[in-house]
Amino acid sequence: MTLKKWIASVIAFLLVLFPIVGCTQQKGGDGNSYFVQFQIDHQTFYIDGQKISFQAYEELLDEAGSIVQNIESALSVEIESSDVSKVNNAKAGQSVGVRKETAELLQLCKNYFEITGGKFTPALYPLTKLWKFSPENAGFYQQSRPEPSESEILNALLVSDFSEYEIEGNFVKKPYSDSMLDFGGVAKGYMVDCILDRLNELYSGREMDAVISVMSNMALVGQSRASGEPRGYNIGITNPRALIPADNGIYNDPALYMVGLSDMSVTTSADNYRFYVNGGKIYSHIIDSQTGKPADTGIISVTVCVPLSVKNSGAFADALSTSGFCMNLRDSLSFFERMHKQYGVGAVIITSDFKYYSIGLNVMSAKEFARYSNANYGTDFDETKYAEVFERGSIEDAPETVEACEKELQYIDRCEEILNG
């Protein structure tokens, strides 16, 4: 059995790529169906040291599905009756009534907006639409296209200032008629929070071990029991450059592992999801709130872990990963060091010079993890079959401007070849 298969089946869950066991179906404003994928993993769900019954598990899935569907119906930009659509379709200064949950999430976003210095904001939907990363362009996200004009970008930026939104109780006023919200950068983490809140109500006062996930956002509750005795969860970070081999010809995915996690919310923001290539440059769907353009800092992946003891840890992790992605490397590292001291946040940043930086986490390459597994789990993996894809970087020596290495240029060429044919 390969390391990847063993990890998936025994002790780890790959961000983004884990198997899906539940989904809710909604109808968009255009009548098309779409899905929000979620998971409460039966194999890892234990109460007081005992795996829950399949009947109880199915009942939990139904409850989780209802929670996800209710939140999606309030926050989706694709549902005409959603709170977000009502705000987006309103006139400047019009007071729009929203659900209590929507108002609470808006207040959370206000808090994250302040913590991140405006790097996290749910008010960038005019720019998302301008760059053609909004849902009406689904199926064409990776189609090469020129940049919008500077005047178009500036006009969209002018109506995208979240600080000008007014929130009073359950009512929202936006500053301009063209201003629009999109909670895509925080909603999935918030859904995980709400599912976990419900599980904590159901099993109050009891010991719970579980993995809960919505799309690429997950909560790791307690410890993993899949290998016998309870141990921390070991999580593989999806390799954002898995499309090309390492120097020894090995395609490693994941290339990095976080070891020994417990009671954490985890999420990743990366440039290999919803992107296109034009003129030898990657354009990610993650928009920088200051430039109005896809983030272009040399950071290609940010994984964030927030302790479950932090309220709304899933939403917070979601917001922090997006924010760190939009900062230059030194600022991002400094920001996460501050978040580590203040909230116990951990982070792994991967850059386009094929280095990675870790704050507050035990991170290993696939080769190192093979050795670790052999020593701690009794496996016999051949470490020569795993590559050192990314080099561990020194935080003290981190550059402000990251220069793309040859492997990065090779990756961009490969993407352009595949996407633009």
Side-chain angles (χ1 to χ4, degrees), residues 95-314:
S95 184
V96 180
V98 298
R99 303 181 196 181
K100 177 183 176 182
E101 294 78 10
T102 305
E104 289 177 349
L105 185 55
L106 276 166
Q107 291 292 354
L108 274 180
C109 288
K110 282 282 189 181
N111 186 33
Y112 301 156
F113 181 80
E114 293 175 4
I115 289 173
T116 64
K119 284 296 186 180
F120 170 77
T121 167
L124 298 182
Y125 199 51
L127 287 155
T128 299
K129 290 175 70 70
L130 177 64
W131 287 92
K132 298 184 178 179
F133 285 119
S134 49
E136 64 265 24
N137 297 293
F140 302 96
Y141 294 140
Q142 295 182 321
Q143 187 176 75
S144 181
R145 50 195 181 271
E147 293 188 4
S149 68
E150 289 297 326
S151 62
E152 289 175 313
I153 295 170
L154 178 59
N155 288 337
L157 262 176
L158 289 173
V159 299
S160 299
D161 186 352
F162 189 49
S163 67
E164 297 189 53
Y165 279 75
E166 297 179 25
I167 307 162
E168 295 183 6
N170 293 347
F171 291 89
V172 182
K173 292 180 183 179
K174 64 180 186 179
Y176 307 99
S177 295
D178 291 337
S179 298
M180 289 182 283
L181 295 171
D182 174 19
F183 289 100
V186 72
K188 305 303 186 294
Y190 181 69
M191 289 174 181
V192 174
D193 293 333
C194 292
I195 293 172
L196 182 55
D197 286 345
R198 178 56 180 151
L199 294 180
N200 284 332
E201 288 178 6
L202 291 171
Y203 298 107
S204 177
R206 303 177 69 180
E207 181 182 357
M208 180 166 58
D209 303 293
V211 175
I212 305 156
S213 52
V214 178
M215 308 295 278
S216 61
N217 301 267
M218 62 172 65
L220 308 172
V221 185
Q223 295 184 303
S224 171
R225 294 177 179 268
S227 60
E229 62 182 280
R231 303 185 188 217
Y233 297 94
N234 302 319
I235 305 298
I237 300 175
T238 297
N239 180 1
R241 297 299 181 257
L243 191 61
I244 58 171
D247 292 334
N248 55 2
I250 294 173
Y251 290 83
N252 263 41
D253 188 18
L256 299 174
Y257 291 83
M258 300 178 294
V259 177
L261 298 181
S262 181
D263 292 322
M264 288 279 187
S265 287
V266 186
T267 193
T268 293
S269 294
D271 71 353
N272 60 327
Y273 168 70
R274 266 204 292 165
F275 73 99
Y276 69 95
V277 180
N278 187 58
K281 181 178 178 179
I282 293 175
Y283 291 83
S284 167
H285 74 288
I286 303 173
I287 306 295
D288 187 321
S289 62
Q290 291 184 324
T291 66
K293 300 178 180 182
D296 183 21
T297 63
I299 293 175
I300 61 177
S301 173
V302 177
T303 297
V304 174
C305 300
V306 177
L308 295 183
S309 57
V310 177
K311 187 172 177 57
N312 296 110
S313 59

Side-chain angles (χ1 to χ4, degrees), residues 2-65:
T2 66
L3 177 60
K4 180 176 178 180
K5 289 182 178 178
W6 182 78
I7 289 298
S9 63
V10 180
I11 60 170
F13 295 84
L14 307 183
L15 299 183
V16 181
L17 299 181
F18 46 78
I20 299 301
V21 297
C23 61
T24 66
Q25 182 174 1
Q26 295 276 3
K27 288 286 185 179
D30 57 2
N32 294 328
S33 297
Y34 57 99
F35 297 88
V36 176
Q37 299 169 325
F38 67 92
Q39 178 191 41
I40 301 174
D41 187 72
H42 186 224
Q43 297 303 313
T44 64
F45 201 113
Y46 287 75
I47 299 297
D48 296 331
Q50 301 295 317
K51 187 183 293 186
I52 64 169
S53 68
F54 193 72
Q55 180 179 348
Y57 170 68
E58 287 190 317
E59 291 173 357
L60 289 179
L61 278 185
D62 287 341
E63 283 220 47

